[in-house]
Amino acid sequence: MGLVSRDTAGKGLVLGVYSSEKDDGAAQFTSAGDAFDRLVSGKLRALLSLCGPPLKKGKTRIFHGLHQDFPSVVVVGLGKKNAGINEQENWNEGKENIRTAVAVGCRQIQDLEIPCVEVDPCGDAQAAAEGAVLGLHEYNELKQKKKPVVTPQLHGSAESQAWQKGVTYAEGQNLARYLMEAPANYITPIKFAEHIEQKLRTFSNVKVHIRPESWITTQEMGAFLSVAKGSAEPPIFLEIHYLGSANTDDSPLVFVGKGVTFDSGGISLKPSSGMDAMRADMGGTASVCSAIVTAAALNLPLNIIGLAPLCENMPSGKANKPGDVVRAKNGKTIQVDNTDAEGRLLLADALCYAHNFNPRAIVNAATLTGAMDVALGSAATGVFTNSSWLWTHLYEASILTGDRVWRMPLFEHYTKQVTDCPLADVSNIGKYSRAGGACTAAAFLKEFVTASHWAHLDIAGVMSNKDEVPYLRKGMAGRPTRTLVEFAARLSQDSRNAK
């Protein structure tokens, strides 16, 4: 089939085909694929059989000129038809296959510079929408030459509600990706806060408070302020109240995010190689704020509060020095033995403040430690929690989203390493330095938590994507935004069932 002129390109179409389970190798189309093949009098099936062996998972073939409404059709392999939860991988393999396949197909349509693509729901329209919207996203705000914009749409109307839910989930993650990828001179603390405020402006049940440095001072957040004082950019404490429950007095889920919009390491300066990636050191705040924007868009029936201490960590004559002692909001003193372990200082004060709201649960997210990346790489977010109930909800949510979590230890063994401190109540690094660095960081945070349901998500390992997640392009990943949204949705369902 010949190539279609781009001026008359019309719509592209992405259709799924399952791996053959029979020896004859005949294509096993989805329902949408079967319907389209009938529409073109069996030509699609005939062409596929002429092209060689059946399509493997994530592989594609493009056909042109089959139908006037869809001049370009991409057929993509979905893997096994009945793939479900893979106990070894801790995710729903079928959903992951769909996300990957649809993303690959949509990118091929984009390469053809076709402005619109209809997407086969592949039996799970939410997963298909997520694959399309996540797969097409790319940060090119500051480039003169940009990739053509492609608008994905659902092929057919049977699963439109599930499709729209998937679009909303994916747009939430893309918001976090955008905020993380943007240069630090474009996303300063105040600009970050204003961007989120603008995203939430249309929701009548959301209140946004952008707290200035004077307010932070009155709250006696000495640990947070000690980090911020090294930079010329003033700190901001962003506070979001989403009142989705029918009873606005219901105890809220409190999200807390580490919001270091650029982390040089301070006086304990990082190596210059790769330091530019530290524009994304506010990935925790980007994820939790984007999750709240998504929850509001979905109108989830629960109350959520988002807390985001925002600042830069810079070296200057005013910056923290190794050995300095600062006082947190709860009165505990902290010996700052390494100024590059600054995220936990912000979180210490924010976690103390979170207890003011009688929280149902507190979940904080932070690109906290390189040790977490060493431990798990980009396979999963490390979760440290004092609550099996909370862990179960996070884990079950992650199976559905494919953005996995893995439980890590909160042993007293690690607590002793941060409380055995010569000058203060706690040290901001473990006394054995690098040993169990992610675990001692979590143990430090635990010193500022009294709530019985708290989880700390160390997202350092999942901050960026090279090629590990095939439906995300290279760059900042915005993980685990969708898992946080799904977790909140499950919590809201719990509330309904209880009533």
Side-chain angles (χ1 to χ4, degrees), residues 41-77:
S41 305
K43 292 177 184 176
L44 183 60
R45 189 181 297 276
L47 284 169
L48 264 181
S49 64
L50 289 172
C51 289
L55 280 174
K56 292 184 178 179
K57 183 170 63 176
K59 301 299 181 182
T60 63
R61 292 204 176 98
I62 306 178
F63 303 99
H64 304 284
L66 277 173
H67 192 278
Q68 62 181 10
D69 292 342
F70 303 103
S72 296
V73 178
V74 178
V75 180
V76 62

Side-chain angles (χ1 to χ4, degrees), residues 344 347 351 364 368-369 372 382-385 408-411 414-415 418 428 430 436-449 454-458:
R344 63 201 73 180
L347 290 171
L351 287 168
N364 74 259
L368 206 64
T369 65
M372 193 73 255
V383 176
F384 301 81
T385 180
M408 301 290 288
L410 262 181
F411 299 148
Y414 302 111
T415 300
V418 295
N428 77 327
C439 302
T440 54
F444 174 92
L445 295 180
K446 187 167 172 275
E447 292 298 297
F448 301 89
V449 173
W454 161 69
H456 156 54
L457 278 57
D458 193 333

Side-chain angles (χ1 to χ4, degrees), residues 248-314:
T248 55
D249 293 328
D250 281 352
S251 293
L253 165 63
V254 179
F255 282 144
V256 181
K258 172 188 170 183
V260 178
T261 58
F262 186 76
D263 182 15
S264 69
I267 298 297
S268 307
L269 195 66
K270 292 178 182 289
S272 59
S273 177
M275 195 195 286
D276 66 297
M278 290 297 97
R279 66 187 183 276
D281 205 31
M282 30 58 81
T285 280
S287 297
V288 300
C289 290
S290 298
I292 295 172
V293 171
T294 308
L298 294 167
N299 197 28
L300 292 185
L302 82 166
N303 298 330
I304 306 176
I305 291 175
L307 305 175
L310 292 152
C311 70
E312 293 180 338
N313 183 26
M314 297 290 284

Side-chain angles (χ1 to χ4, degrees), residues 145-194:
K145 187 178 181 181
K146 304 176 190 288
K147 284 190 175 176
V149 175
V150 178
T151 304
Q153 298 174 347
L154 174 65
H155 183 61
S157 58
E159 298 183 58
S160 57
Q161 192 172 353
W163 171 269
Q164 187 52 52
K165 184 179 178 184
V167 169
T168 304
Y169 270 59
E171 286 177 343
Q173 183 167 346
N174 286 348
L175 171 58
R177 292 164 84 186
Y178 170 89
L179 291 165
M180 293 171 72
E181 197 72 73
N185 60 325
Y186 279 73
I187 300 292
T188 61
I190 185 62
K191 288 176 181 174
F192 182 104
E194 288 171 348

Side-chain angles (χ1 to χ4, degrees), residues 35 106 147 179 215 228 284 313 317 321 324 336 338 361 399 423:
C106 287
K147 284 190 175 176
L179 291 165
W215 180 90
N313 183 26
K321 305 173 292 297
D324 282 1
V336 184
N338 186 327
I399 289 173
L423 300 179

